[in-house]
Amino acid sequence: MLEKATHLCTPAPVAPESFLLRTHHPRDHIATRNMAEKFAGTWKLAESENFDDYLKAMGVGFAARQVVSRAKPTIVISVGAGGAMTIKTPRNEVTFKLGEEFEETTPNDKKTKNVISLDNGKLLQKQKWDDKEACIEREVVGHKLITKLKTGGVEAVRTFVKEA
């Protein structure tokens, strides 16, 4: 079982949102859903920093890295009934509940175990496969979705702008 993801896999102080995920009061689940709703929408890649090095650290081959690095993908994030969230990219789609482990096969065919949590207004994803780990932090700042990706000591930042 994966432990809860924290700021790029380093311990962070317990946030009020984290507390909400552990309670069972209906009002708390509504508050958590409202916090998750700010991620909902269609996001178009506007800027990418150090992404090729991140992909290399993830074990993605040269040709695939060239294609992926040049793409300007759109991500669609939605919050459904029962609190399930979906993140859809051109090459992948995952549906999950906050704090619950799920399996994902990445576009480069890695079978991973994941936990996504909401902490201090950020979606934090901890992803493990074999003996490796990646961490993805998503934060909405104004009309931008800032995504920080980290694995093997390499960090990339991708900035998306909200379309809808």
Side-chain angles (χ1 to χ4, degrees):
M1 176 72 99
L2 296 173
E3 68 263 16
K4 189 179 144 207
T6 56
H7 176 68
L8 295 179
C9 293
T10 59
V14 175
E17 293 89 345
S18 301
F19 173 76
L20 293 176
L21 294 175
R22 293 190 304 262
T23 65
H24 298 288
H25 193 282
R27 178 175 20 111
D28 295 338
H29 293 290
I30 291 169
T32 299
R33 180 182 171 87
N34 288 342
M35 285 181 263
E37 288 281 347
K38 75 178 183 177
F39 292 91
T42 301
W43 304 89
K44 178 79 174 165
L45 181 66
E47 193 176 327
S48 191
E49 300 170 27
N50 208 35
F51 192 56
D52 186 66
D53 287 341
Y54 172 80
L55 292 173
K56 189 184 299 183
M58 291 286 289
V60 178
F62 178 77
R65 285 197 325 268
Q66 296 306 302
V67 172
V68 173
S69 291
R70 288 187 176 103
K72 297 283 187 188
T74 297
I75 295 174
V76 178
I77 300 175
S78 59
V79 181
M85 293 185 75
T86 299
I87 300 176
K88 184 177 181 179
T89 68
R91 298 187 53 162
N92 202 18
E93 181 174 336
V94 294
T95 299
F96 58 91
K97 287 193 174 185
L98 293 171
E100 294 183 13
E101 186 174 286
F102 65 94
E103 292 185 1
E104 174 188 13
T105 301
T106 65
N108 62 332
D109 212 31
K110 290 188 186 334
K111 299 199 183 331
T112 64
K113 291 186 185 255
N114 299 264
V115 172
I116 299 178
S117 59
L118 186 59
D119 192 2
N120 278 338
K122 299 175 184 179
L123 278 179
L124 303 173
Q125 180 175 357
K126 187 170 196 174
Q127 186 176 67
K128 288 188 172 188
W129 68 99
D130 301 330
D131 60 348
K132 297 182 181 176
E133 180 177 283
C135 298
I136 303 167
E137 174 187 291
R138 296 174 178 95
E139 179 179 18
V140 175
V141 179
H143 292 288
K144 294 181 178 180
L145 175 66
I146 310 298
T147 303
K148 296 178 182 176
L149 308 103
K150 183 177 180 181
T151 191
V154 177
E155 186 172 335
V157 178
R158 303 192 95 195
T159 302
F160 296 82
V161 291
K162 194 163 194 176
E163 290 189 333

